[in-house]
Amino acid sequence: QVQLVESGGGLVQPGAPLRLSCTASGDIFSIHYVAWYRQAPGKQREFVASLLSGGSTKYVDSVKGRFTISRYTANTVYLQMTSLEPADTAVYYCNAEYAEPVPENGEMEYREVWGQGTLVTVSS
């Protein structure tokens, strides 16, 4: 059982920074993958950044050099955004993959969970 809650969204001017937080609860130590996605109005949900438990990161090309995903505490992951552009306007979602044992065979089953989203609006 893992639950995710995003926070930190709001209205900012172009060029400004903003930090989003993803806070997990439940069996947080079973999480091995955390990612941020975003969805702009009328568009498909888009991958933004990901963080593996070992510390490796990936980013979509459009945010490389501007966004940073990092683990702040055992249950909190940040998305630090800088030099925000109007094109960054979207609802940002936290996503996590975690593992739990399957009683029938003892093997691990991987599950995916999403947060409720937080709105980021970049406008002057």
Side-chain angles (χ1 to χ4, degrees), residues 7-20 38 66-67 79-90 92 118-124:
S7 63
L11 174 63
V12 297
Q13 296 182 354
L18 194 66
R19 187 181 70 191
L20 305 182
R38 65 186 181 186
R66 299 190 298 120
F67 291 11
L79 183 67
Q80 180 65 55
M81 305 183 293
T82 62
S83 301
L84 283 166
E85 307 167 356
D88 296 317
T89 296
Y92 284 72
T118 185
L119 176 62
V120 174
T121 302
V122 184
S123 176
S124 59

Side-chain angles (χ1 to χ4, degrees), residues 57-73:
T57 59
K58 292 183 178 180
Y59 301 91
V60 67
D61 287 345
S62 60
V63 309
K64 288 181 179 178
R66 299 190 298 120
F67 291 11
T68 302
I69 186 172
S70 62
R71 183 170 53 249
Y72 181 64
T73 65

Side-chain angles (χ1 to χ4, degrees), residues 3-7 21-25 36 75 77 94 114-117:
Q3 298 82 40
L4 304 177
V5 177
E6 303 96 334
S7 63
S21 297
C22 175
T23 300
S25 61
W36 285 94
N75 67 334
V77 170
C94 185
W114 294 85
Q116 83 290 345

Side-chain angles (χ1 to χ4, degrees), residues 23-68:
T23 300
S25 61
D27 189 12
I28 62 174
F29 299 105
S30 67
I31 300 174
H32 62 262
Y33 173 90
V34 178
W36 285 94
Y37 286 73
R38 65 186 181 186
Q39 187 167 23
K43 296 186 177 180
Q44 296 284 335
R45 186 172 296 186
E46 174 191 34
F47 169 84
V48 177
S50 64
L51 174 68
L52 297 179
S53 60
S56 62
T57 59
K58 292 183 178 180
Y59 301 91
V60 67
D61 287 345
S62 60
V63 309
K64 288 181 179 178
R66 299 190 298 120
F67 291 11
T68 302

